[in-house]
């Protein structure tokens, strides 16, 4: 009694292989790099009064200022375009 299940109940073998790396790779290969997360955690958790988006110095400041300039410029452009579009055309 009942409906046939849509999902097979037996486990299937993996299609793309296993999660283990091949045994001939060494841990010092060039594509393996040092984990930078603990260093970045120290930088971002430091209490120096700066917001998180400005903690990494000059590149963050430049990106923030560029984003703010583009946002303000786009807002001003939209307001000017709305003003021009709201004026009736003289014939």
């Amino acid at each position: 009694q009942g409906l046939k299940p849509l999902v097979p109940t037996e486990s299937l073998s993996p299609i793309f292989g296993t999660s283990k790396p091949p045994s001939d790779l060494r841990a010092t290969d060039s594509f393996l790099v040092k984990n930078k997360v603990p260093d970045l955690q120290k930088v971002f958790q430091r209490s120096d009064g700066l917001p998180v988006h400005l903690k990494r110095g000059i590149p963050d400041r430049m990106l923030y200022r560029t984003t703010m300039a583009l946002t303000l410029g786009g807002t001003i452009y939209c307001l000017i375009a709305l003003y021009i579009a709201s004026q009736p055309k003289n014939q």
Side-chain angles (χ1 to χ4, degrees):
Q1 299 284 340
L3 300 173
K4 189 165 77 169
L6 296 175
V7 180
T9 55
E10 61 274 344
S11 64
L12 300 174
S13 62
I15 296 171
F16 298 108
T18 63
S19 61
K20 293 181 181 179
S23 61
D24 60 341
L25 290 177
R26 297 187 325 260
T28 59
D29 282 342
S30 63
F31 64 89
L32 298 175
V33 295
K34 180 182 178 280
N35 186 6
K36 296 179 184 178
V37 173
D39 298 332
L40 290 174
Q41 283 177 340
K42 289 177 187 174
V43 169
F44 287 119
Q45 291 177 355
R46 186 173 48 217
S47 63
D48 52 5
L50 287 174
V52 173
H53 60 276
L54 296 176
K55 289 255 186 187
R56 290 181 55 189
I58 293 173
D60 283 348
R61 276 188 245 138
M62 294 298 291
L63 183 62
Y64 176 73
R65 289 178 182 167
T66 302
T67 303
M68 292 308 294
L70 289 172
T71 302
L72 289 174
T75 302
I76 292 170
Y77 178 76
C78 286
L79 291 174
I80 290 172
L82 283 172
Y83 176 75
I84 291 171
S86 69
Q87 300 300 317
K89 292 187 176 183
N90 293 335
Q91 293 183 1

